[in-house]
Each structure stands twice: as structure tokens, then as C-alpha cells.
């Protein structure tokens, strides 16, 4: 702990939920151990992401730019779920104001 996140930090975890699996389906004829290995790798990557986010937030000198980029990416991914709903995208942009968030992060609000 106590170190800032690198600027090339990993992307956030893939969305999950109904119809949004985090990984590719198993290839036909693929051994069961391969699917298990894929699940373990995915779980480790997710854990690494959350560990990095936690250590960045707890750091004495957090990488504010990375946190703001992550927040903007979250907003953009939410908007991508409803590409044809301009009204919803506008509400998401209004609710997830990246400039306001950036100011709050920089000033410890």
C-alpha cells in the first residue's frame, strides 16, 4: 500500500449479469480443466483490479487522473448499453459529471 496506480492500469471488470457473461463460451470439445483455468484467471484479474483500486484510494498520493479516467469509462460503458436512447445517455452524463468528480477527488471531497 502507499503507491499510486500506474497510468496503464487494467480496465475495469467486464459487465456481468443476465446475458452478459464475463468470458467467452467454452469451445466445443474443450477439456473441463481449461474452463476451470479460465474462471480462475478471470477471478484473479478481477481481484487484481479491485486491489489496485483499493490501494490507489488508500494511497497518500492517489493517481487522480487514473481515477477520473476510470469514472469516465464507467459512464461511457453505461451509455453504450443504451446506444439508441439519447435521453438516457444525457441523464447518465448529467448524473456522472466527470469534471465534478475530478474536482471532488482532487480536493478529497
Amino acid at each position: 500500500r502507499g503507491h499510486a496506480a500506474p497510468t496503464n492500469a487494467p480496465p475495469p471488470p467486464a459487465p456481468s449479469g443476465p446475458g452478459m457473461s464475463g468470458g467467452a463460451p467454452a469451445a466445443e470439445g474443450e477439456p473441463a480443466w481449461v474452463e476451470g483455468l479460465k474462471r480462475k484467471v478471470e477471478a484473479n484479474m478481477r481481484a487484481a483490479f479491485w486491489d489496485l483500486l483499493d490501494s490507489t484510494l488508500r494511497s497518500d498520493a492517489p493517481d487522480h487522473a487514473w481515477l477520473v479516467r476510470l469514472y469516465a469509462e464507467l459512464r461511457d460503458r453505461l451509455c453504450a448499453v443504451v446506444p439508441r436512447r439519447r435521453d438516457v445517455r444525457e441523464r447518465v452524463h448529467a448524473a456522472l459529471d466527470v469534471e465534478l468528480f475530478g474536482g471532488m477527488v482532487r480536493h478529497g471531497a
Side-chain angles (χ1 to χ4, degrees):
R1 301 205 185 244
H3 55 79
T7 57
N8 61 346
S16 60
M20 300 178 98
S21 67
E28 191 173 319
E30 192 171 77
W33 67 268
V34 172
E35 186 60 33
L37 180 61
K38 286 180 181 179
R39 281 193 301 274
K40 286 180 182 179
V41 168
E42 181 180 357
N44 284 334
M45 293 299 291
R46 288 176 185 270
F49 169 78
W50 290 112
D51 288 347
L52 178 61
L53 181 60
D54 181 59
S55 68
T56 298
L57 292 172
R58 293 177 188 275
S59 172
D60 292 334
D63 184 352
H64 297 128
W66 180 69
L67 293 170
V68 172
R69 283 193 312 272
L70 187 62
Y71 188 81
E73 184 175 346
L74 172 66
R75 181 204 60 200
D76 294 344
R77 285 182 180 220
L78 285 171
C79 288
V81 173
V82 288
R84 294 191 169 117
R85 292 289 309 268
R86 182 182 178 121
D87 60 322
V88 174
R89 290 193 322 269
E90 288 173 354
R91 289 178 62 192
V92 169
H93 273 261
L96 300 178
D97 185 328
V98 175
E99 288 183 32
L100 176 62
F101 177 77
M104 291 172 68
V105 168
R106 282 187 294 280
H107 300 306

